[in-house]
Amino acid sequence: MPLSEAVNQGPQFFYLAPWIIIFPVIGLLINMFLGGRFKERVIGIIASSASGLAFVVAILLGISLLSHPEGVVLRLAEWISIGELQLDWTIRVDTLSTTMMLVVSGVGTLIHIYAIGYMHEDVRFKDDLGRYQRFFVFFNLFIAAMMILVSADNYLMLFVGWEGVGLCSFLLIGFWYDKDLLGRPGTENALAGSKAFIANRVGDFGFLMASFTMFWGFKTVSFGGVFSQVHHIAETQPGLILTITLFMLLGVAGKSAQLPLFVWLPDAMAGPTPVSALIHAATMVTAGVYLVARSAPLYSAVPEAQAVVALVGGITALFAATIAVGQYDLKKVLAYSTISQLGFMVAAVGMGAYVAGMFHLITHAFFKALLFLSAGSVILGIERGHHHLPHDDHHGDEVFDPGDMRHMGGLRKRMPTTFWVFLVGAVALSGIPPLAGFFSKDEILADAFHLNFPVYIMLAIAAFFTAFYMGRQVWLVFFGSPRHEAAEHAEESPPVITIPLIALAGLSILGGVLNLPSVHILTHWLEHTYETFHLHLHAGEFNLQVALISTGLALAAIFLAWLLYGRKPLIKDQPDPLQKILGPIFNGMNRKWYVDEIYEFLFIDRYIDLAKFLSIKVDWDFWHDWFHDKVIGAAYRQGAKFLAGPIDLGIIDGISKGLAKLFQTLAAQFRKLQTGYVRNYALAVFAGVVIILGYLILG
Amino acid sequence: MSVDLIFFLALAIVAVGAALGLLFSRNAVYAALFLVLNFITVAVYYLLLNAPFLAMAQVTVYAGAIMVLFLFVIMLLGTKKLKTRGEHLWQRRLAIGLGVILFAEIAALFLAKGQNVLMVGDIGSKFGSPEGIGIELFTQYLLPFEITSILLLVGMIGAIVLTKDD
Amino acid sequence: MIPISYYIILSALLFTIGAVCVLIRRNAIIIFMGIELMLNAANLAFVAFANQHQVLSGQIFVFFVMTVAAAEVAIGLALIVTIFRSKQSIDVDQISSLKG
């Protein structure tokens, strides 16, 4: 390998690996305990520095890997040692985990900096300055948990990080827990957080079942231990590995928002935009993709599981893309787009194209974070415009949603920087060369073309929709004339927000470099990890046919979007043109194909019915009313009556009365001695003397 | 059968007879007089036993003072004969029975030890004479003597206090 | 020579008769006289032993017994007189207020 041979005597920084977790923890502890006294700037700088230092450590680890590409395993401390189960807190520094670390800490630091400015305005719009500190504590906690996840060397430690990021997701989605989506007092945000947690729980169940099955079969859950035994177990118990991988797929579906557990991610847009960018676009949701990529030896051993994974990814990609077309909310479009792109990634790693999947993970982190952060900038701009409106009397009862695209328009002139970076992100997502999205998406399509043609068809159609809805979004938001007074008075965001955006835009443009078709930097980089587990990665060749088809589809979609939304930009209160064309299909898209309603009917209402039945019929009627009163109460009353009557009155009173009577009788008998006659007493004395003398004589 | 023995037995019969007379007489005065006879008999015994001082003291104190006091009180309180009541008849029998047993016990106690010969010294020696008793009394037993004087004082006061008219 | 056992037996007999007299008679004064008889019998025994062992302690003791008996008689009769004043009777069976 040219890389490793080149830098053979490079520096070694592997011992710094634990700091990748420790820096964010220090950051969050400082902010948690001392943050109350700091100004907002200081809190933000501490948090961003913690994330930045983690990024520096990740870079150093990457440099160390250049000269030692097999990676190392650092054992930190013993954790569980019971019988056959031997688990330690162990960090695995190899190319795959370092890739994730770089993405998480790099993009994460940029988003931290962005959040300094974003939260500054958001806590003022929502009128609660004290929550600024909370935000950054949770943000650092997320980085720490995500680092635990990607650096783990066994499935249980990975699960600790898995749960940790789930917790942070809950905390941050429900950040404004006492408000609803539009900032009024309510519980919608809290419910959105609960929905995320519960849907993830179903996924966690799958993950846990996979771990248990794994331990049962492999007697270990560490990566090294499991992967070395895969061949042997695959021959003796193939069904076992199939079970493990399918259960793991359930976990992936939960965390990475695949069918059928994706329903939490659109609701997660209730959280502040930096949260959506970091957690629900760039990093947390990719944990599932990382899991499959890491478990490659397991999946490669059971092609049936691979087929299922790819199918799930493909269907999700297509399904979510159709929903995105019909959404009016700025962030919801991006949310469904994320689900769709995650479907791409899951399909890729499912098919065995691990490099393509990881490549798309990296580039998607760049441009999706960019898109979300730009959307946040747009929303802030609209809010600023809304606040500068004269306060009329109808201002109070108007419910204003700053994210509704129908109220936007013409923001190109008013927020130019935001417009340009958003455009870069949209073009990258649509897969137009030479931006990053083209290379990564094209690699997936090329691999799918060869490995799994039905999935290729699904992904291609999804790519078409992707380009279409991004074009629709760009034209609705930035072109035409403003459809609301707030949009008219929108203002550009300050540099602390726009500079990270520009940085991410740069990455979106240049990111394709990571794995250009003939150079294959990423492929070679990741190969080191996979070779350790005896898996061969094939470098995807550039397929001109697939590339042309995908580019053509994207351009056609953009043209179609221009036809509908760009040529004659919509004016205020004009309905969406697609509504007329597609009619009920558009309604279906808009209502996300009624998935939430179906779930509610099938599962949630049935669960509530069961709960009601159990609580009213079983708990109250049967248990409390009948069982407690009739059985236990009656038994107790009987017992009490028995104890009070025969035992207490009869025996115990009898004893006490009997004793009294006994003593009375005895006393009466003894009283007869007290005759009062002196002569009797004298007789008694005399008798005593006689007896004693007799005793002395005889004895 | 020496003269001493006959003398002894005769006196013994008188003494016991007087005691029985005390026991059975219904008249209090007669009982007192029987007791006086008993005392005098015992005084004679004292003489036989080389205790002349005590013999005289017995006659003077016991028979003379104490019994006279008794007679005074008897006269004072009336010599009404008390009616016998048959209530505690069984106690009477028990008392007599116990008495017999007591006598038997004492006799057994002493007879088992063997009979010792009594030594009688010369009558007229200093043994039981006032001189002898006086020396013993005022040297060896001075403290009891003094205490006895206090006892008599207390007795006097007690008797006066008890019979005082309030 | 008269064996001492004769004197002892005599003393015992007198003592017993005195004891029975105390127990049987109802007249308080007669009872008192029985007590005196008992004391007297004891005195006789003392003197007999004093004579046997040629020790004067026995006679001294008799001296003291007589003294004490005299004091006792004085007080006892005073008590009887006092009781007679309230009960108008010298029947000991009448003095049964302590009957239980």
Side-chain angles (χ1 to χ4, degrees), chain A residues 62 86 189 214 250 333 400 417 430 439 570 606-607 658 676:
Chain A
Q86 188 75 32
N189 292 348
M214 192 185 297
L250 188 60
V333 175
F400 181 69
T417 318
S430 308
F439 289 105
L570 280 98
R606 300 288 79 83
Y607 184 77

Side-chain angles (χ1 to χ4, degrees), chain A residues 83-86 211-222 225-226 229 233 237 240:
Chain A
E84 289 173 322
L85 182 61
Q86 188 75 32
S211 315
F212 297 156
T213 317
M214 192 185 297
F215 178 68
W216 187 45
F218 288 83
K219 300 287 175 277
T220 173
V221 288
S222 76
V226 169
Q229 296 178 55
I233 303 275
Q237 307 173 60
L240 184 77

Side-chain angles (χ1 to χ4, degrees), chain A residues 5 41 46 70 101 166 184-185 213 301 338 349 352 372 421 424 430 461 504 540 573 632 635 646 658 669:
Chain A
E5 282 163 5
R41 287 269 139 170
I46 290 175
E70 307 83 49
M101 287 184 210
R184 298 166 296 180
T213 317
T338 307
V349 293
F372 265 111
V421 295
V424 167
S430 308
I461 301 175
L504 283 169
D573 291 331
I632 298 179
Q669 293 307 314

Side-chain angles (χ1 to χ4, degrees), chain A residues 423-697:
Chain A
L423 187 62
V424 167
V427 171
L429 176 54
S430 308
I432 307 291
L435 274 70
F438 164 70
F439 289 105
S440 58
K441 201 187 287 193
D442 187 65
E443 190 165 336
I444 297 180
L445 289 170
D447 286 328
F449 190 76
H450 287 295
L451 298 171
N452 196 331
F453 197 72
V455 172
Y456 168 75
I457 297 287
M458 286 192 250
L459 292 178
I461 301 175
F464 173 78
F465 279 121
T466 306
F468 178 75
Y469 63 66
M470 286 318 296
R472 171 175 178 264
Q473 190 165 42
V474 169
W475 266 294
L476 272 179
V477 174
F478 293 103
F479 286 86
S481 48
R483 291 186 284 277
H484 192 273
E485 298 153 325
E488 237 185 277
H489 299 251
E491 296 169 0
E492 183 57 87
S493 300
V496 71
I497 290 183
T498 52
I499 289 181
L501 292 177
I502 296 170
L504 283 169
L507 284 169
S508 304
I509 296 173
L510 299 171
V513 163
L514 280 172
N515 207 29
L516 288 173
S518 30
V519 185
H520 289 301
I521 299 177
L522 189 64
T523 312
H524 293 314
W525 174 255
L526 287 176
E527 237 168 12
H528 298 302
T529 303
Y530 285 93
E531 298 275 286
T532 318
F533 300 119
H534 308 292
L535 278 176
H536 182 68
L537 295 176
H538 68 277
E541 309 95 32
F542 184 69
N543 190 327
L544 189 61
Q545 180 187 8
V546 169
L548 283 176
I549 294 176
S550 66
T551 312
L553 280 174
L555 288 170
I558 294 176
F559 179 68
L560 199 59
W562 176 76
L563 275 180
L564 286 170
Y565 302 100
R567 196 158 51 135
K568 240 183 359 171
L570 280 98
I571 54 177
K572 191 170 170 159
D573 291 331
Q574 181 187 354
D576 197 308
L578 266 186
Q579 177 110 40
K580 248 192 316 190
I581 300 173
L582 295 176
I585 300 179
F586 183 76
N587 281 337
M589 288 178 177
N590 183 259
R591 302 303 304 276
K592 43 188 167 53
W593 301 116
Y594 303 101
V595 174
D596 280 324
E597 285 79 0
I598 295 174
Y599 277 4
E600 179 132 353
F601 176 73
L602 275 181
F603 299 114
I604 297 175
D605 282 347
R606 300 288 79 83
Y607 184 77
I608 292 176
D609 286 342
L610 177 67
K612 272 198 201 143
F613 169 71
L614 284 174
S615 77
I616 293 176
K617 282 272 160 311
V618 176
D619 195 35
W620 280 110
D621 289 348
F622 169 72
W623 184 252
H624 276 260
D625 291 346
W626 182 74
F627 194 73
H628 268 193
D629 281 351
K630 297 282 175 311
V631 177
I632 298 179
Y636 183 76
R637 277 191 285 276
Q638 281 300 106
K641 239 197 310 189
F642 173 67
L643 284 174
I647 293 189
D648 190 38
L649 285 174
I651 296 177
I652 295 176
D653 277 4
I655 290 175
S656 61
K657 275 196 205 146
L659 271 175
K661 248 201 145 53
L662 176 69
F663 280 113
Q664 271 182 326
T665 320
L666 279 176
Q669 293 307 314
F670 275 112
R671 209 184 300 128
K672 289 187 193 158
L673 282 175
Q674 304 286 338
T675 54
Y677 296 131
V678 180
R679 291 193 296 163
N680 293 347
Y681 301 153
L683 182 63
V685 171
F686 192 60
V689 169
V690 169
I691 290 169
I692 289 173
L693 271 177
Y695 176 72
L696 283 173
I697 291 177

Side-chain angles (χ1 to χ4, degrees), chain B residues 2 4-5 8 12 15-16 19-20 22-26 28 31-32 35 38-39 42 45-46 48-51 53-54 57-58 61-62 66-67 69-70 73-74 76-78 80 82-85 88 92 95-96 99-100 102-103 106-107 110-111 115-121 127-128 132-133 136-137 141 144-145 148 151-152 154-155 158-159 162-165, chain C residues 1-10 12-30 32-37 39-45 47-71 73-82 84-85 88-94:
Chain B
S2 60
D4 290 323
L5 192 59
F8 174 83
V16 174
L20 288 172
L22 164 65
L23 184 60
F24 290 120
S25 76
R26 295 272 148 228
L35 193 59
N38 193 52
F39 285 159
V42 171
Y45 272 123
Y46 288 168
L48 281 177
L49 289 170
N50 284 330
F53 176 74
L54 282 180
Q58 168 99 341
V61 172
Y62 254 113
I66 292 176
M67 292 320 297
L69 191 57
F70 262 111
V73 174
I74 290 171
L76 186 65
L77 301 184
K80 211 171 32 182
L82 295 169
K83 289 190 244 85
T84 14
R85 277 184 261 174
H88 306 294
R92 282 175 146 238
I96 295 172
V100 171
L102 182 66
F103 174 71
I106 297 173
F110 279 101
L111 287 178
Q115 296 187 6
N116 298 329
V117 178
L118 189 70
M119 280 174 57
V120 180
F127 180 63
I133 291 203
E136 195 75 18
L137 195 62
Y141 296 99
F145 183 73
T148 310
L151 180 76
L152 286 171
V154 169
L162 278 170
T163 55
K164 214 162 70 138
D165 275 331
Chain C
M1 302 296 112
I2 300 167
I4 189 137
S5 51
Y6 285 23
Y7 279 104
I8 301 306
I9 289 180
L10 177 62
L13 193 58
L14 287 176
F15 185 88
T16 312
I17 292 172
V20 171
C21 178
V22 167
L23 292 171
I24 288 181
R25 298 300 295 259
R26 278 202 348 265
N27 195 334
I29 300 177
I30 307 290
F32 223 167
M33 284 198 263
I35 293 172
E36 293 306 313
L37 186 57
L39 285 167
N40 204 40
N43 285 350
L44 181 60
V47 173
F49 279 121
N51 194 23
Q52 183 200 9
H53 297 288
Q54 289 292 305
V55 173
L56 263 183
S57 305
Q59 297 194 2
I60 302 294
F61 201 78
V62 171
F63 180 85
F64 284 120
V65 169
M66 274 191 220
T67 315
V68 172
V73 164
I75 297 189
L77 286 175
L79 276 172
I80 289 174
V81 167
T82 313
F84 178 77
R85 282 207 197 131
Q88 300 300 320
S89 163
I90 49 172
D91 182 355
V92 293
D93 284 348
Q94 302 271 359

